[in-house]
Amino acid sequence: MTAHRVGALRLILLRHAKSSWKDPYLADHVRPLNSRGKSDCPRMVSGSQTLVACSIPAKALVERGWIPELVLSSSSRRTVNTWELMAPHVSPTPAVWFAHELYHSPPLPWVQAEAEGGRLSKIETLMLVGHNPWWEMAAEELTDRSVVLKTASALLMESELDVGASWDDALRAQWTIDKLIHPRELMFTEQD
């Protein structure tokens, strides 16, 4: 992990929280979060001690200053639910786009198309919410490192290009990992 570099374009890859397999006949796209998934999400962003099902403070995203201006999320129920549980704890509230194109498909070509269209030109910190194996593959493509993204894990990455560079160029450049956040690990590290 590297030290935070001021002025870099930043990307957060967030894997959806733990989903329910209770109903085996439910279509994959509409599977909801299970109880663990619901409790992991707020832990990722809030420093509060008063969260339901979680008394351990999370310093993760907000306390590290990783507030996205834009969230691009898969349209699956579990990714939408993951973001909805996190959103009240993120301020200022970012714009959010839910896209079926990010459901079980590689995110980088779609983000590249958005960048080429100029729709990311003012974005310094972008969050993608979605699914494995695609998110792990995107992380490896950008950083040349193998990363394990467990459910509700967030990978914080910085581009070698500074704010002001185009996302189109940044997605072709090298990225470094700032932090990999696993909510289950926060349960133990926050108590130490």
Side-chain angles (χ1 to χ4, degrees):
M1 309 301 163
T2 63
H4 174 66
R5 196 169 70 75
V6 177
L9 288 174
R10 301 186 305 175
L11 178 63
I12 304 165
L13 291 180
L14 176 70
R15 184 175 172 205
H16 64 79
K18 192 82 171 160
S19 61
S20 173
W21 289 89
K22 188 176 184 177
D23 182 349
Y25 301 105
L26 200 58
D28 183 70
H29 193 267
V30 295
R31 278 192 297 113
L33 297 179
N34 68 15
S35 59
R36 182 177 131 196
K38 291 174 186 174
S39 67
D40 280 345
C41 294
R43 187 179 300 124
M44 292 294 291
V45 295
S46 178
S48 169
Q49 291 276 353
T50 61
L51 296 173
V52 175
C54 178
S55 62
I56 300 161
K59 296 179 181 176
L61 299 176
V62 170
E63 292 181 10
R64 290 185 69 83
W66 283 71
I67 308 298
E69 288 101 0
L70 177 61
V71 174
L72 302 178
S73 174
S74 161
S75 61
S76 75
R77 184 174 176 189
R78 60 192 176 275
T79 52
V80 171
N81 291 161
T82 297
W83 174 249
E84 288 173 343
L85 288 169
M86 292 179 72
H89 306 284
V90 177
S91 179
T93 304
V96 181
W97 301 348
F98 296 105
H100 189 74
E101 294 86 351
L102 293 174
Y103 173 67
H104 285 300
S105 61
L108 296 183
W110 191 77
V111 174
Q112 190 79 40
E114 293 299 308
E116 289 169 359
R119 290 176 287 278
L120 305 179
S121 62
K122 296 188 191 292
I123 304 300
E124 295 178 14
T125 303
L126 173 65
M127 176 186 275
L128 302 179
V129 184
H131 313 269
N132 273 344
W134 308 110
W135 265 225
E136 291 176 343
M137 291 167 62
E140 186 169 353
E141 182 178 335
L142 293 172
T143 67
D144 291 327
R145 292 183 59 191
S146 180
V147 176
V148 175
L149 280 174
K150 300 175 185 175
T151 53
S153 293
L155 180 65
L156 315 181
M157 298 180 295
E158 295 180 323
S159 172
E160 66 182 4
L161 302 182
D162 290 336
V163 170
S166 75
W167 277 90
D168 185 37
D169 290 338
L171 291 171
R172 299 176 214 274
Q174 186 64 37
W175 289 73
T176 57
I177 296 173
D178 177 72
K179 181 78 174 163
L180 176 58
I181 301 168
H182 295 297
R184 289 283 163 206
E185 291 172 8
L186 289 173
M187 292 175 56
F188 303 106
T189 59
E190 295 298 330
Q191 291 177 349
D192 296 339

